[in-house]
Amino acid sequence: MAALKIKDSVIKTVIFDFDGTLAKLNIDFARMRQEVTRIISSYGIEPDAIQDGFILETIQAAASLMKNDSAKKAQEFRQESMNFIENMEMQAAQKGELFPSTRELLSFLTSNDISSAVVSRNCQKAIFTVFPDILSFCEAVICRDAVEKVKPDPLHLRAALEKTSGNAASALMVGDHPLDIEAGRHAGTFTAGVLTGNFQAADFQKAKADIILPRASSLMNMIV
């Protein structure tokens, strides 16, 4: 029987990032961060008081600081920030598109008895806007809406493994960002970096990815 192997291990579950891995959304993250920083300042918090990090984590850190003063203020800030992010994601999704071989790849994995799932820091509405029939091609889509902690926290990947009845030791995390590699390593999966986003092979080597691929669909060439 055909199988996907990495380091002599048979992969039974593949977990994919979405934006930059299976689809192209072209989200302007620089603008997103700039606006979130402005919103933080408008609530009386100096952005410099928050350690630099990913945008969702920055929002959480700012909300935690505000909560010490007012829970209502923290909730209003969080709602305003997340509404802005979701609007940006939806605007990008409406112009976004799947990479040409995405459906073929997911169907190919299924035909070879390999489960697949998607984990994304994006909102679920954006994913389904770009890929309305995604659940016909993979077993689970776990977006930020569905988990308390998003990748690189391993709980995000573990939620996908639970949905697919997968085991980390026989799973592969595939993404276009080093944080996907970090998430996979923390969750105990194998990891693959793909070069269809904004990062180069050297970035994935530094992140200690198990394999580096030109694109996610290259996995089809690895099934023997």
Side-chain angles (χ1 to χ4, degrees), residues 15 151-161 166-173 179-191:
I15 303 172
K151 58 179 182 171
D153 193 290
L155 290 178
H156 202 169
L157 274 64
R158 288 171 186 158
L161 289 170
N167 186 298
S170 59
L172 173 68
M173 175 65 209
L179 75 78
D180 295 309
I181 308 305
E182 180 182 350
R185 292 181 61 207
H186 288 327
T189 72
F190 290 99
T191 58

Side-chain angles (χ1 to χ4, degrees), residues 162-205:
E162 182 176 351
K163 287 285 188 179
T164 58
S165 299
N167 186 298
S170 59
L172 173 68
M173 175 65 209
V174 182
D176 72 308
H177 195 294
L179 75 78
D180 295 309
I181 308 305
E182 180 182 350
R185 292 181 61 207
H186 288 327
T189 72
F190 290 99
T191 58
V194 293
L195 305 180
T196 44
N198 298 316
F199 291 88
Q200 308 300 314
D203 298 307
F204 293 111
Q205 290 168 350

Side-chain angles (χ1 to χ4, degrees), residues 39-104:
I39 295 172
I40 290 172
S41 296
S42 75
Y43 278 79
I45 298 291
E46 287 294 329
D48 290 344
I50 300 169
Q51 284 189 336
D52 187 33
F54 298 118
I55 294 172
L56 295 178
E57 286 77 2
T58 296
I59 291 172
Q60 182 59 42
S64 294
L65 284 176
M66 292 177 200
K67 194 173 181 179
N68 294 329
D69 178 51
S70 167
K72 181 180 178 182
K73 178 180 177 181
Q75 179 59 31
E76 289 174 349
F77 158 74
R78 180 175 173 78
Q79 191 65 54
E80 181 178 351
S81 298
M82 296 308 294
N83 284 345
F84 173 77
I85 287 176
E86 184 170 311
N87 286 336
M88 277 197 70
E89 290 172 343
M90 289 303 297
Q91 290 172 14
Q94 287 160 10
K95 298 178 183 179
E97 59 184 357
L98 295 179
F99 289 133
S101 298
T102 290
R103 284 187 170 88
E104 180 187 0

Side-chain angles (χ1 to χ4, degrees), residues 82-153:
M82 296 308 294
N83 284 345
F84 173 77
I85 287 176
E86 184 170 311
N87 286 336
M88 277 197 70
E89 290 172 343
M90 289 303 297
Q91 290 172 14
Q94 287 160 10
K95 298 178 183 179
E97 59 184 357
L98 295 179
F99 289 133
S101 298
T102 290
R103 284 187 170 88
E104 180 187 0
L105 167 62
L106 297 175
S107 295
F108 188 79
L109 293 175
T110 298
S111 68
N112 283 277
D113 297 321
I114 299 172
S115 301
S116 62
V118 168
V119 295
S120 176
R121 288 166 62 95
N122 289 353
C123 66
Q124 182 170 294
K125 288 194 295 185
I127 303 295
F128 280 83
T129 295
V130 180
F131 197 170
D133 54 341
I134 187 170
L135 288 176
S136 297
F137 289 86
C138 68
E139 294 184 30
V141 177
I142 313 292
C143 298
R144 68 164 180 264
D145 324 63
V147 290
E148 291 186 12
K149 295 182 178 181
V150 294
K151 58 179 182 171
D153 193 290

